[in-house]
Amino acid sequence: MRKITYILLLITFFAQGQILNPVKWKSKVVQKSATEFELVMEATIENEWHMYSQYTPDGGALPTVFDFKNAKGNYTLVGKTKESAYKKVFNDIFEVDEYYFAKTAQFKQVIKVTNTKLKEVKVYVEYQACKEQCIQQDNTFTFQLPEIKITDDKAVSTAAIASDSTTQKVDSISAVQSSNASENKAQKSNEAPVEEKKGLWSIFFLAFIGGFAALLTPCVFPMIPMTVSFFTKQSKTKAEGKKNAILYGVSIILIYVILGSLVTGIFGADSLNALSTNVWFNLIFFGLLVFFAASFLGAFEIVLPNSWANKVDQQADRGGFVGILFMALALAIVSFSCTGPIVGTLLVEAASKGGLAPIVGMLGFSSALALPFMLFAMFPGWMNTLPKSGGWLNTVKVSLGFLELALAFKFLSNADLVVQAHLLEREVFLGIWIAIFGTWAVYLFGKLTLPHDSPMSHLSIGRLFMAIFVTIFTIYLIPGLWGAPLKIISGFPPPMTYSESPNGIGTSSSNTTIAIDLPEHAHSGPHGIIAFHDYEDGVAYAKKVGKPILLDFTGHACVNCRKMEDFVWSKPEILSLLKDKVVLISLYVDDKRELPKEAQYVSKETGKEIVTIGNKWSDYQITRYKNNAQPYYVILNSDGEDISKPIGYTPDATEYKKWLDEGISKFKK
């Protein structure tokens, strides 16, 4: 009977708590030269679990972070830590793109040893893995290096001069360069995930639309009939005219693709992606886009030096393909005041994606720009269908200015989110967009004129429809000030949690508790629930009011924690229990704030250093419940003793309410 009881207790224990370890690591050292070594860390990830890239944007899941434990003078890092291809998916809970790895991930860092007596290198990694629950994990790698001898004033490692090959443990030297080459080739062949290809296609089509918009500006549109007329009159035969028109279009595409290649080449494919979350990158391009917008709105014109256009125009007289190429370059220079801001914006947006995105973006833009020139030269009769130039071209240009201005604040918002300054919270961002789009609507209705507008006696049907569309969009934005999700523009404004009123004041009666006085050490949690971030403070309050405790192990970057709060806790029948029947204590295991030095310690359970507040609560969860996943919920009595079986992610609201009711009823007994 005792054996049966013991077995049942074991089953109950493992049902309630389990230390999850979905990511398994192995590592090795690859020698690059006598003093250069490549540290390789490979992760094998369990099915349905994900871990995140070093470059996943702020505001979502936690990125993977490497800390090289390097005493001064031992070695230097050569470049940044490279990683294998990640997948990119938009997270509609955090409203940001997330970059993650599934099944496998590989990280490589080259080091140059400066201390020839160095025997080992330690690397510490922190990362987040998520499935239905999220866990914060870390790992320490110890890389064993060969002895480096000094021979003829040159450093030579013992591994490099050894004639035999010895079997190493996981942290080993790979001495077979051909094996590495084939491994790298195989790795590269798999570095194009479907999501990345989809991202490049979306950039291409957005850039194509941008090229079409540039075509409808006063700098470009009037040049179509002039250019087509040149080819049809100067060519001896129709066939020659068509050939020259095609060469002209190809030249336009070539010029802009070379521009995209230069951007990628100068900055590097990897560094462009890293820049996208850099505060200075976002601030600089905010200013740049405001500058472009002011130009489109008529404050000034961005023009390249006339001498450039004159010199290029002289070369265009040479004839042949070279002459046509210079004609295309002349178009790019002359039309720069209209195309420059669009090209600049597209390059900024493409640069934030990294990789080949700038090249693909310029291919899409130039294709849209070149196609009409080629088609109308090949079929001159179509020219009769073109609308005449007029004031509508400046209307297009001004409209692009309003769009540029609105997009600029996305970059300012990114910078604000990175530093968590809370200067451009969701309400402020939406207020700015409402003002921009509202002013645009007034302009389209003809109630506002700008410097280069022509006198207007009536509204065209196209302009009227556009004015109505922009007005509808402006009205759509307004409820966002009171907490509406605004899914159409999801990803542009800051997330709902990054606002003065995270729960949307005035959207429901359930938020009325936001305005009441909070107990000492408490704060207003999700949906206005009174919550505590410190365990001792929460227990003391629970004793005072005589209520049970809902212990919530959660994380700022835990997507399923947010899902529970947004879709389960928000149910009226559950929200009333959380507000009136329990004391909520939310312990954030990814809180990066450091503990006071005297409060830091080494965990008896895991042997790890507990340095941050998040470390403390994660260790508490592991030590007490033998579980390291979030979300994780337990109901305690007011003395801090468990009175319910813990549960994790429970998207079924009925099941979650049943669990709450059982715990609360046990407390009453």
Side-chain angles (χ1 to χ4, degrees):
M1 185 66 182
R2 286 183 179 178
K3 288 183 179 180
I4 294 173
T5 304
Y6 180 70
I7 291 170
L8 289 173
L9 285 172
L10 281 177
I11 292 172
T12 303
F13 172 78
F14 283 110
Q16 292 186 10
Q18 183 182 3
I19 302 298
L20 298 174
N21 187 25
V23 181
K24 304 294 191 299
W25 290 91
K26 63 179 181 178
S27 57
K28 64 181 179 181
V29 179
V30 177
Q31 187 169 0
K32 309 293 286 185
S33 69
T35 57
E36 283 192 345
F37 301 91
E38 185 175 63
L39 311 181
V40 182
M41 294 153 281
E42 297 177 337
T44 302
I45 307 164
E46 289 183 11
N47 285 339
E48 299 183 18
W49 283 85
H50 299 143
M51 66 176 290
Y52 297 89
S53 163
Q54 302 168 92
Y55 307 117
T56 196
D58 290 334
L62 296 180
T64 299
V65 178
F66 291 94
D67 182 11
F68 292 84
K69 304 294 184 179
N70 179 23
K72 188 176 182 180
N74 280 337
Y75 63 87
T76 58
L77 301 180
V78 180
K80 296 183 178 180
T81 304
K82 296 182 179 179
E83 59 182 39
S84 54
Y86 52 72
K87 298 183 178 181
K88 176 181 170 183
V89 171
F90 181 74
N91 186 316
D92 55 4
I93 298 296
F94 290 127
E95 297 182 347
V96 295
D97 286 327
E98 288 185 334
Y99 309 153
Y100 71 87
F101 304 102
K103 296 185 179 178
T104 61
Q106 186 181 69
F107 304 90
K108 297 179 179 180
Q109 176 65 58
V110 176
I111 64 169
K112 184 176 180 64
V113 176
T114 51
N115 177 8
T116 57
K117 295 181 180 180
L118 184 66
K119 293 182 178 180
E120 67 178 28
V121 173
K122 288 193 174 184
V123 181
Y124 177 73
V125 59
E126 280 186 311
Y127 59 95
Q128 184 180 55
C130 291
K131 185 184 172 184
E132 288 186 347
Q133 295 172 304
C134 290
I135 58 174
Q136 326 302 319
Q137 287 194 301
D138 55 63
N139 196 37
T140 300
F141 302 97
T142 303
F143 295 92
Q144 303 295 332
L145 300 183
E147 182 182 355
I148 299 175
K149 295 183 178 180
I150 305 298
T151 304
D152 296 330
D153 296 327
K154 292 183 180 180
V156 182
S157 73
T158 54
I161 62 175
S163 58
D164 61 321
S165 58
T166 56
T167 304
Q168 303 285 335
K169 58 183 181 179
V170 173
D171 297 313
S172 61
I173 303 296
S174 176
V176 187
Q177 297 298 332
S178 60
S179 172
N180 291 332
S182 61
E183 180 183 333
N184 290 339
K185 186 179 285 186
Q187 175 68 24
K188 287 180 180 179
S189 68
N190 293 321
E191 288 188 359
V194 174
E195 286 80 0
E196 190 170 332
K197 290 180 180 177
K198 287 181 179 177
L200 291 177
W201 274 112
S202 66
I203 289 170
F204 177 86
F205 286 119
L206 285 173
F208 189 88
I209 293 171
F212 184 73
L215 191 71
L216 300 178
T217 59
C219 313
V220 181
F221 189 81
M223 297 187 72
I224 297 176
M226 294 169 55
T227 306
V228 171
S229 175
F230 174 83
F231 283 124
T232 53
K233 290 180 180 179
Q234 296 297 321
S235 303
K236 296 178 181 179
T237 63
K238 288 185 177 181
E240 184 183 357
K242 291 180 179 180
K243 183 191 76 171
N244 290 339
I246 292 172
L247 288 176
Y248 182 69
V250 170
S251 298
I252 293 173
I253 294 172
L254 189 62
I255 288 167
Y256 284 101
V257 168
I258 289 173
L259 176 62
S261 301
L262 287 173
V263 171
T264 303
I266 292 170
F267 291 98
D270 293 331
S271 60
L272 284 171
N273 180 267
L275 279 173
S276 64
T277 56
N278 180 277
V279 61
W280 289 111
F281 174 92
N282 285 286
L283 285 175
I284 289 169
F285 283 109
F286 163 71
L288 191 61
L289 293 189
V290 170
F291 178 75
F292 289 159
S295 172
F296 270 156
L297 292 172
F300 49 82
E301 286 196 3
I302 306 171
V303 293
L304 296 175
N306 288 331
S307 58
W308 292 16
N310 293 334
K311 288 179 180 179
V312 169
D313 198 43
Q314 291 172 7
Q315 296 296 323
D317 296 332
R318 295 172 58 177
F321 177 69
V322 175
I324 291 173
L325 181 63
F326 276 101
M327 281 185 64
L329 185 57
L331 170 70
I333 293 173
V334 172
S335 64
F336 186 79
S337 61
C338 291
T339 59
I342 300 175
V343 169
T345 305
L346 290 172
L347 283 174
V348 169
E349 183 63 22
S352 69
K353 308 299 181 186
L356 297 174
I359 299 173
V360 173
M362 288 301 93
L363 179 62
F365 176 83
S366 57
S367 297
L369 200 63
L371 198 59
F373 286 94
M374 289 191 291
L375 289 177
F376 285 112
M378 294 171 69
F379 306 99
W382 291 4
M383 292 290 297
N384 297 326
T385 62
L386 277 178
K388 293 181 179 180
S389 299
W392 66 273
L393 290 173
N394 192 65
T395 302
V396 172
K397 186 178 178 183
V398 169
S399 294
L400 290 173
F402 282 111
L403 287 173
E404 290 267 6
L405 190 59
L407 183 60
F409 282 93
K410 171 59 180 170
F411 288 92
L412 185 61
S413 173
N414 288 345
D416 185 62
L417 284 166
V418 168
V419 299
Q420 291 287 295
H422 289 269
L423 298 175
L424 194 63
E425 293 180 319
R426 187 179 177 91
E427 295 91 343
V428 178
F429 182 96
L430 290 175
I432 292 170
W433 266 37
I434 289 167
I436 291 172
F437 284 95
T439 305
W440 185 13
V442 171
Y443 169 79
L444 290 172
F445 277 117
K447 302 301 181 183
L448 174 70
T449 56
L450 291 172
H452 299 295
D453 285 327
S454 303
M456 184 176 59
S457 59
H458 64 279
L459 285 181
S460 67
I461 300 302
R463 182 164 176 163
L464 176 63
F465 281 167
M466 189 65 185
I468 292 172
F469 175 80
V470 175
T471 302
I472 291 171
F473 182 73
T474 305
I475 295 171
Y476 168 79
L477 293 175
I478 294 173
L481 297 172
W482 285 270
L486 305 181
K487 293 183 179 180
I488 291 177
I489 59 167
S490 183
F492 278 91
M496 297 279 285
T497 53
Y498 195 78
S499 63
E500 294 181 11
S501 310
N503 305 298
I505 293 177
T507 54
S508 71
S509 59
S510 63
N511 293 319
T512 54
T513 57
I514 295 175
I516 70 170
D517 292 333
L518 292 170
E520 187 179 5
H521 305 302
H523 71 282
S524 179
H527 313 292
I529 303 167
I530 295 174
F532 292 85
H533 280 174
D534 184 82
Y535 179 79
E536 298 298 335
D537 292 336
V539 171
Y541 181 72
K543 284 183 179 179
K544 179 180 178 181
V545 297
K547 292 182 181 180
I549 297 165
L550 173 60
L551 191 58
D552 166 32
F553 290 99
T554 184
H556 294 294
C558 171
V559 65
N560 284 323
C561 301
R562 300 294 85 75
K563 285 183 179 178
M564 286 293 295
E565 293 163 7
D566 292 347
F567 302 114
V568 178
W569 286 14
S570 61
K571 300 288 183 184
E573 65 274 18
I574 292 175
L575 190 58
S576 62
L577 293 176
L578 298 179
K579 285 188 170 185
D580 302 328
K581 302 297 182 182
V582 299
V583 173
L584 176 63
I585 303 177
S586 294
L587 305 180
Y588 286 84
V589 301
D590 57 0
D591 190 329
K592 298 300 181 184
R593 291 175 296 168
E594 278 200 11
L595 292 164
K597 291 294 181 183
E598 62 274 13
Q600 297 178 11
Y601 63 97
V602 176
S603 170
K604 294 179 180 179
E605 185 74 22
T606 64
K608 296 178 181 177
E609 293 183 2
I610 306 304
V611 178
T612 66
I613 293 174
N615 293 157
K616 175 183 175 181
W617 299 133
S618 178
D619 183 58
Y620 181 71
Q621 182 185 358
I622 291 171
T623 302
R624 180 165 176 173
Y625 297 106
K626 311 302 177 188
N627 189 290
N628 62 339
Q630 296 81 42
Y632 194 72
Y633 307 105
V634 193
I635 294 181
L636 318 175
N637 62 26
S638 51
D639 292 323
E641 300 168 338
D642 298 0
I643 57 175
S644 76
K645 174 184 173 182
I647 63 168
Y649 178 61
T650 311
D652 186 331
T654 303
E655 183 181 347
Y656 190 77
K657 182 179 183 300
K658 180 181 177 182
W659 175 82
L660 276 176
D661 286 334
E662 288 176 356
I664 293 169
S665 63
K666 286 180 182 178
F667 174 79
K668 291 178 179 178
K669 292 179 181 179

